[in-house]
Amino acid sequence: MVTAILNPQVQEVLDLIGIFAFALSGALLAVRKRFDAVGIVVLAEVTALGGGMFRDLMIGAVPPVAFTSLSYFTTPLVAAVAVFFWHPRLTRIRRFVLFFDAIGLGVFCVAGSIKALNFGMHPLAAVALGAATAIGGGAIRDVLAGEVPALLHPESEIYAVPALLGSGLVSLLAVTGWLTPVTSAFAALLAVVVRLLALRYGWRAPLARGGSSL
């Protein structure tokens, strides 16, 4: 069993950074969809906490930390309030949604993998749970906002691949004994950069040949 790969304080910092970034992306999407104040808060909360709650339920960390730590629940509220009052200054809201979503994706894939490893999960399972932590909240956000999740949209730039790269690197570093706060930050940065490059250059996953004719 792998325990205490990184101390709880580092784990919490990673989680809160990811929560805030995802909450911003959810709140900004709510503004773009013309949701009211309640809708902005709801979308911020589910985007920020959805993936982490799924992870905690899968690894047996119950009740999920979102319900046991006040900071986890209030951080999305802070992001929602900031967006509610600050968004008129954002001339291109969609760009900011995608930017903060990429940050949340990178941080959460790392934080999710580390927590799974800390609970004794096999490194391969930790990769899957890290990716699920990263993409879960965004998928819920898109469904509630009436959009096809980026994970499934055939015209969307790669979304799950950057998360898998980041969480895969975390598991590799853990197995080889090289996982530290610095190397975990590098793994998060890798996922963020790959996602942003995919958005910039239109990188997409391949489609099945002849699928459109079925």
Side-chain angles (χ1 to χ4, degrees), residues 185-211:
F186 176 80
L189 181 62
L190 172 66
V192 172
V193 170
V194 171
R195 173 59 177 162
L196 291 177
L197 287 175
L199 291 170
R200 174 66 176 82
Y201 296 105
W203 296 345
R204 294 179 175 84
L207 296 173
R209 295 185 61 182

Side-chain angles (χ1 to χ4, degrees), residues 61-155:
V62 292
V65 69
F67 295 112
T68 60
S69 173
L70 184 62
S71 61
Y72 279 61
F73 191 79
T74 56
T75 297
L77 290 177
V78 173
V81 170
V83 168
F84 184 82
F85 289 105
W86 186 48
H87 80 85
R89 298 184 180 184
L90 304 180
T91 57
R92 296 183 178 179
I93 289 180
R94 177 170 170 75
R95 177 196 296 178
F96 281 86
V97 171
L98 294 173
F99 175 73
F100 286 115
D101 182 73
I103 293 176
L105 186 80
V107 174
F108 264 17
C109 72
V110 169
S113 295
I114 291 173
K115 188 165 186 177
L117 290 166
N118 280 336
F119 272 72
M121 302 299 291
H122 188 277
L124 288 178
V127 173
L129 284 170
T133 305
I135 65 181
I140 298 172
R141 173 200 64 206
D142 292 342
V143 170
L144 291 180
E147 297 193 348
V148 177
L151 173 66
L152 303 176
H153 200 295
E155 297 300 321

Side-chain angles (χ1 to χ4, degrees), residues 4-91:
I5 294 174
L6 293 180
N7 65 57
Q9 288 75 25
V10 174
Q11 178 77 49
E12 183 175 4
V13 168
L14 287 172
D15 274 342
L16 290 177
I17 292 173
I19 285 171
F20 189 74
F22 263 146
L24 286 175
S25 77
L28 286 166
L29 181 58
V31 169
R32 186 165 69 88
K33 289 288 186 174
R34 303 292 297 168
F35 288 2
D36 61 14
V38 174
I40 292 173
V41 171
V42 168
L43 216 58
E45 290 282 355
V46 299
T47 306
L49 303 178
M53 289 175 59
F54 174 80
R55 172 202 63 202
D56 288 349
L57 290 172
M58 290 298 100
I59 65 178
V62 292
V65 69
F67 295 112
T68 60
S69 173
L70 184 62
S71 61
Y72 279 61
F73 191 79
T74 56
T75 297
L77 290 177
V78 173
V81 170
V83 168
F84 184 82
F85 289 105
W86 186 48
H87 80 85
R89 298 184 180 184
L90 304 180
T91 57

